[in-house]
Amino acid sequence: MSEANFLLGQKIFQKIRQDIIAGRYSRDEELKELLIASEMGVSRTPVREALRQLEREELVTIIPNKGTYVIGITAQDMKDIYDIRVALEGLCVRQAANIATQEQIEAMEEILYLAEYHIRKGHEKQVVELGGKFHEILYEAGGNRMLKRVLQNYYLYLERVRKFLFSEPEKMWEVIGEHWEILEAVKERDGEKAERAVSRHIANVIRHIDSYGWENITGGQKDGKN
């Protein structure tokens, strides 16, 4: 495959993956190469490569001589991601407490102040975006490139959870408050305290989702079935 087709394939992969994660496709919905290629104004070659990459991430299944069908994200997938997050984010913030730069700490502070401003203004979209930026800098502050990559990848899968958490001012304030606790522990250079703060934060997120229903977050998918 040419470099141009490879880059196109990556762009198409990112777009379709985001659409699947956001719930814009139904489970078992067919993804048609020709239609996607036509909509994006490209040949079928980069589309085919994008679909293969999606299959490697187990977001779609390719049935030879039949087609490509959406698998999507199930409730169990979400639960598994949170099991992983509580372990890996704990490790990340413990490291961040030791090595985060003053610039990174100040950047996270600014993000949280901005988030509070946008909560008061009722700007849900901006609060969601700022939450993502907070985590992006936090993962960078951990200083572990491989760990950052893994956490960023899993964070992408939680778009619907973030929209749920930031759907009401009360939940927004709770999440931002927990982010402040994590940041304060990092500022104090207390790795154990930072790790505990992350554990509490994720436990509270799980509590909210348990109350709402994991299948509601994933569009009705409990165990991989509609």
Side-chain angles (χ1 to χ4, degrees), residues 132-208:
K133 289 180 181 178
F134 177 84
H135 281 276
E136 182 180 338
I137 297 173
L138 183 63
Y139 298 159
E140 183 73 34
N144 184 321
R145 192 161 57 94
M146 295 297 106
L147 180 58
K148 179 186 75 171
R149 184 181 300 173
V150 171
L151 284 169
Q152 286 177 332
N153 188 55
Y154 280 119
Y155 193 79
L156 289 173
Y157 283 83
L158 303 176
E159 179 177 337
R160 280 184 273 182
V161 174
R162 291 194 294 278
K163 288 183 177 179
F164 160 67
L165 289 174
F166 293 120
S167 62
E168 301 171 8
E170 183 179 350
K171 290 193 184 76
M172 292 184 197
W173 283 114
E174 184 176 353
V175 171
I176 296 303
E178 290 163 0
H179 284 176
W180 273 116
E181 289 178 6
I182 295 166
L183 181 56
E184 289 302 316
V186 171
K187 288 174 64 177
E188 292 169 13
R189 304 300 180 183
D190 190 331
E192 290 186 6
K193 183 177 179 180
E195 190 171 2
R196 289 195 299 271
V198 163
S199 295
R200 283 195 300 273
H201 170 54
I202 294 177
N204 282 335
V205 172
I206 291 171
R207 175 175 55 82
H208 282 305

Side-chain angles (χ1 to χ4, degrees), residues 11 26 36 45 52 72 78 89 99 189:
K11 183 178 179 180
S26 302
I36 294 170
T45 301
R52 286 173 182 155
M78 287 288 189
E89 285 200 16
I99 66 172
R189 304 300 180 183

Side-chain angles (χ1 to χ4, degrees), residues 10-160:
Q10 286 300 301
K11 183 178 179 180
I12 295 164
F13 161 73
Q14 296 289 348
K15 173 66 168 62
I16 299 174
R17 179 171 73 165
Q18 186 59 37
D19 286 344
I20 292 173
I21 290 169
R24 298 186 184 100
Y25 291 109
S26 302
R27 182 174 175 84
D28 296 327
E29 183 173 344
E30 184 178 4
L31 300 179
K32 298 179 180 180
E33 279 185 21
L34 190 58
L35 180 60
I36 294 170
S38 176
E39 288 175 345
M40 295 192 170
V42 299
S43 70
R44 295 176 67 173
T45 301
V47 175
R48 190 174 299 119
E49 178 55 33
L51 294 178
R52 286 173 182 155
Q53 194 169 350
L54 288 163
E55 184 180 43
R56 288 193 289 272
E57 292 211 3
E58 298 185 14
L59 289 173
V60 306
T61 182
I62 298 175
I63 302 175
N65 302 316
K66 188 173 181 183
T68 301
Y69 300 89
V70 173
I71 296 174
I73 305 295
T74 68
Q76 187 59 52
D77 292 332
M78 287 288 189
K79 292 176 182 179
D80 291 342
I81 288 171
Y82 274 98
D83 285 342
I84 293 167
R85 279 192 69 191
V86 74
L88 295 188
E89 285 200 16
L91 173 61
C92 178
V93 297
R94 181 184 283 271
Q95 294 177 344
N98 292 324
I99 66 172
T101 66
Q102 188 61 32
E103 182 181 7
Q104 288 168 333
I105 289 171
E106 289 174 359
M108 287 187 281
E109 283 184 327
E110 183 177 356
I111 285 169
L112 294 182
Y113 282 126
L114 276 172
E116 290 179 344
Y117 167 81
H118 285 295
I119 293 173
R120 294 188 188 98
K121 294 293 184 179
H123 300 161
E124 178 185 322
K125 181 180 178 182
Q126 286 84 347
V127 179
V128 172
E129 290 174 353
L130 288 165
K133 289 180 181 178
F134 177 84
H135 281 276
E136 182 180 338
I137 297 173
L138 183 63
Y139 298 159
E140 183 73 34
N144 184 321
R145 192 161 57 94
M146 295 297 106
L147 180 58
K148 179 186 75 171
R149 184 181 300 173
V150 171
L151 284 169
Q152 286 177 332
N153 188 55
Y154 280 119
Y155 193 79
L156 289 173
Y157 283 83
L158 303 176
E159 179 177 337
R160 280 184 273 182

